Amino acid sequence: MVSQAICDVSRASCETSGMSVAAYLEELGRPLLDEQLGHPTVVGIAKGDLDERVFRSWLEQDYLFLLDYVRVFSRLAWQAPDGHLGDLVDLAYATFHEELSLHRSLAAEFGADLEGARKGPACAAYTGFLLESAASYGEGLAALYPCMWGYSTLGGILAADPPAEPRYRRWVDTYADPGFAALARRIAEMIDEAAPSLERAEQKFREGMRHELAFWSVPLTD
């Protein structure tokens, strides 16, 4: 009850201060992002000494996740106002042709079996949540923001002291790229323009952040 009261006060403060919805979500998300920074998988990537089996499994799971992420963008595009339609098509295109291309390239180096991979529980739960959330336009944008904002922010933080291991460095550089940051900022603008209920946006964003943290604990198959 106490934590709910704090949330209610914070939400009311946001509504009266004129803070944008996306900025409010980012403020809420920073402690949850710090949890990701402390996760052993992220720590291993940052140091460049992550067990290759773990990263191989993560690549397989994230490949399957991204295929559904493209579907999320597509479902949102069907509902989008004219001013957002091109952005969502571009995001779907960039995810399918650029981000998945990175995964295919790294898969060859880590021996990942992208075509034979099957979703683990965390991947299935996360993609199911996103696809369901995308039935509502503004809420769907808030639900996917933890991935866009989170990876852009993580990439920027890790790039400040990048791993020496070149494969992990390439992964960090991808998400630290200014072009990826620009895509995340555009999603923030679209959330504000869609103006979802602040309470519902917060619920979706928090749940998305929980899925992001859980996703780092990948299943090992060998």
Side-chain angles (χ1 to χ4, degrees):
M1 294 295 292
V2 173
S3 61
Q4 181 59 51
I6 293 173
C7 288
D8 291 342
V9 170
S10 299
R11 201 178 300 121
S13 176
C14 170
E15 290 170 337
T16 57
S17 69
M19 179 187 292
S20 74
V21 175
Y24 173 66
L25 297 178
E26 291 167 13
E27 185 174 281
L28 290 176
R30 189 50 203 254
L32 301 171
L33 190 75
D34 288 340
E35 289 188 50
Q36 292 186 55
L37 284 166
H39 191 283
T41 300
V42 179
V43 171
I45 292 172
K47 292 181 176 179
D49 62 1
L50 181 65
D51 185 332
E52 290 194 8
R53 297 175 305 153
V54 175
F55 195 71
R56 179 167 63 245
S57 180
W58 180 88
L59 279 172
E60 292 170 351
Q61 293 300 301
D62 202 51
Y63 180 82
L64 298 173
F65 169 86
L66 289 173
L67 290 174
D68 275 345
Y69 207 47
V70 173
R71 295 181 174 97
V72 170
F73 286 133
S74 300
R75 188 173 192 188
L76 290 172
W78 184 81
Q79 307 169 64
D82 292 348
H84 293 183
L85 180 58
D87 296 289
L88 289 164
V89 171
D90 288 346
L91 283 161
Y93 183 93
T95 301
F96 191 82
H97 290 282
E98 297 171 15
E99 201 169 352
L100 284 172
S101 178
L102 169 72
H103 284 55
R104 294 185 187 99
S105 174
L106 288 172
E109 299 181 36
F110 282 90
D113 180 12
L114 300 183
E115 301 307 321
R118 296 292 180 269
K119 290 180 183 178
C123 182
Y126 196 2
T127 55
F129 160 72
L130 288 173
L131 288 164
E132 180 180 352
S133 298
S136 171
Y137 186 67
E139 292 179 17
L141 290 173
L144 67 81
Y145 196 47
C147 185
M148 294 294 300
W149 169 77
Y151 272 66
S152 176
T153 307
L154 282 174
I157 292 170
L158 298 183
D161 184 18
E165 209 284 347
R167 296 171 299 177
Y168 294 132
R169 173 64 182 264
R170 183 145 49 98
W171 184 91
V172 169
D173 287 346
T174 295
Y175 294 106
D177 185 90
F180 189 80
L183 294 176
R185 287 195 300 272
R186 180 56 185 145
I187 289 290
E189 293 171 353
M190 291 162 66
I191 290 171
D192 292 335
E193 291 163 7
S197 155
L198 188 59
E199 182 175 1
R200 290 292 293 161
E202 177 183 332
Q203 290 171 356
K204 292 294 185 179
F205 181 82
R206 285 185 181 276
E207 186 169 353
M209 290 298 293
R210 288 194 294 270
H211 282 295
E212 282 290 314
L213 180 61
F215 199 89
W216 292 112
S217 298
V218 295
L220 290 178
T221 55
D222 57 55

